[in-house]
Amino acid sequence: MASMIKKLLSVVFLFSTASVANSFYVEPKYLSTGNDFDKLCGQACPAINYGLISSSDLWVQHTINKSVLSVFASTDGSLSQDLLYKEFTKLNAPTDKELTDFLRQSERNIIKEHQKLVKEQGSKHLPIIDISSRPSYLGHRGNFELFAINEFYQFGGRGTGSIYYYVFDIKEQRQLELDDILLPDQKQKLSDIIKAKFHTALKKGKVNIGEHEKTWQFYLTKNFMFTKDGIKFLYQHDEIAPYNMGMPEFTIKYEDLTGIIKEQYLK
């Protein structure tokens, strides 16, 4: 999660090194919006952090970069930002200029919203708006290139973080969804396995499952990632449990997914 201490970085990257797997590579994309935050907002600026990538596979690059920038889809009450993002989503393969133009105006729109909140709340020390969206390259498994996007969003009140996984099949040139890797009619069985693990975790935490389920309904997340030992399923805050219980995650071993997940994804 982004620090609550004010910081102004136009672009932030999580890549410590460029990564190479066969002919695939990924590295940071450096863009400058040219915005002068000292002049635009001085000592009462929002915290805005994001990272973009360059990749040998342009469709991966565009998918990740557009997903990163979805964190700027809207700031509460900002019609100009809503319209700006709506136009941005029409771009299938945004150029560097189009990315820069979108980011430059987004920063300016967010600064304006932040200044309004500063006047309303009277705070000049902490960023009332804190937005972060950073991609991470997690490596590869076979023909699959693995990414995560870490987000943090705070607009006035309590902030919340999220992590979204992306699995790209480089050979087939597509992003894998959960339905792509499941065998027919096995979704409920997978859901039951993860739910059992979740209930075990609740019991260890001395949580009454019956009372818990009156408020929080379990469902099968589509947010998954291949790991060394199995497939990890990650839930965001407030999806199946209260915020103070964090982000529940469950890794199901590959050998336990035989007959549920297609064989080519278990190797």
Side-chain angles (χ1 to χ4, degrees):
M1 292 187 179
S3 170
M4 299 303 293
I5 300 174
K6 174 182 171 292
K7 55 186 176 181
L8 254 299
L9 298 175
S10 294
V11 185
V12 176
F13 301 100
L14 285 188
F15 301 96
S16 57
T17 60
S19 302
V20 179
N22 298 324
S23 60
F24 180 85
Y25 76 82
V26 59
E27 59 187 16
K29 173 181 282 293
Y30 295 95
L31 296 176
S32 175
T33 64
N35 283 328
D36 187 331
F37 286 94
D38 287 336
K39 291 183 178 179
L40 290 172
C41 49
Q43 297 300 310
C45 291
I48 305 174
N49 302 278
Y50 51 85
L52 302 175
I53 69 165
S54 291
S55 172
S56 53
D57 289 66
L58 290 178
W59 64 279
V60 172
Q61 174 181 311
H62 296 315
T63 299
I64 290 296
N65 287 344
K66 290 185 70 175
S67 297
V68 163
L69 298 183
S70 67
V71 76
F72 301 127
S74 174
T75 55
D76 296 357
S78 176
L79 179 60
S80 58
Q81 185 61 23
D82 289 339
L83 295 174
L84 181 68
Y85 183 73
K86 184 177 181 180
E87 290 301 309
F88 178 72
T89 59
K90 296 177 182 179
L91 303 172
N92 292 323
T95 64
D96 285 359
K97 182 181 184 304
E98 289 169 332
L99 288 170
T100 301
D101 289 346
F102 171 75
L103 288 167
R104 181 187 300 112
Q105 190 56 50
S106 292
E107 289 175 351
R108 289 176 176 268
N109 289 341
I110 293 169
I111 286 171
K112 288 179 181 179
E113 291 301 310
H114 189 264
Q115 289 174 328
K116 290 179 183 178
L117 288 174
V118 168
K119 289 181 180 179
E120 293 172 3
Q121 300 185 15
S123 174
K124 295 183 179 180
H125 302 291
L126 296 177
I128 300 173
I129 295 178
D130 190 340
I131 296 174
S132 176
S133 187
R134 299 174 169 185
S136 299
Y137 175 63
L138 304 180
H140 65 278
R141 183 174 183 269
N143 293 319
F144 312 133
E145 300 299 338
L146 314 175
F147 287 81
I149 293 179
N150 292 258
E151 293 183 0
F152 181 82
Y153 186 88
Q154 176 184 314
F155 192 96
R158 184 190 72 182
T160 186
S162 303
I163 300 175
Y164 298 99
Y165 291 132
Y166 296 80
V167 179
F168 298 107
D169 187 328
I170 299 302
K171 183 177 181 180
E172 298 292 333
Q173 293 284 288
R174 62 174 179 150
Q175 180 183 348
L176 290 179
E177 305 290 348
L178 182 60
D179 286 341
D180 296 324
I181 69 173
L182 277 169
L183 285 167
D185 304 318
Q186 294 301 309
K187 185 175 290 187
Q188 186 59 54
K189 187 172 182 180
L190 176 61
S191 179
D192 291 342
I193 291 173
I194 298 174
K195 185 176 183 178
K197 281 184 169 288
F198 180 48
H199 282 183
T200 297
L202 290 177
K203 291 176 182 177
K204 287 183 178 179
K206 301 186 184 304
V207 175
N208 184 294
I209 294 176
E211 290 298 315
H212 178 88
E213 291 183 336
K214 290 180 180 178
T215 304
W216 305 96
Q217 183 176 0
F218 180 86
Y219 68 94
L220 177 61
T221 182
K222 296 180 180 179
N223 195 31
F224 75 95
M225 175 56 58
F226 294 116
T227 71
K228 178 183 176 182
D229 300 316
I231 300 179
K232 180 165 68 174
F233 297 86
L234 177 67
Y235 292 84
Q236 312 301 338
H237 290 286
D238 292 323
E239 287 191 327
I240 60 170
Y243 188 89
N244 62 5
M245 291 184 68
M247 301 169 64
E249 64 175 59
F250 310 95
T251 298
I252 312 301
K253 294 181 179 179
Y254 289 116
E255 56 263 36
D256 295 333
L257 291 170
T258 301
I260 298 174
I261 299 297
K262 295 174 182 176
E263 185 177 354
Q264 63 264 38
Y265 299 113
L266 299 179
K267 297 177 181 179

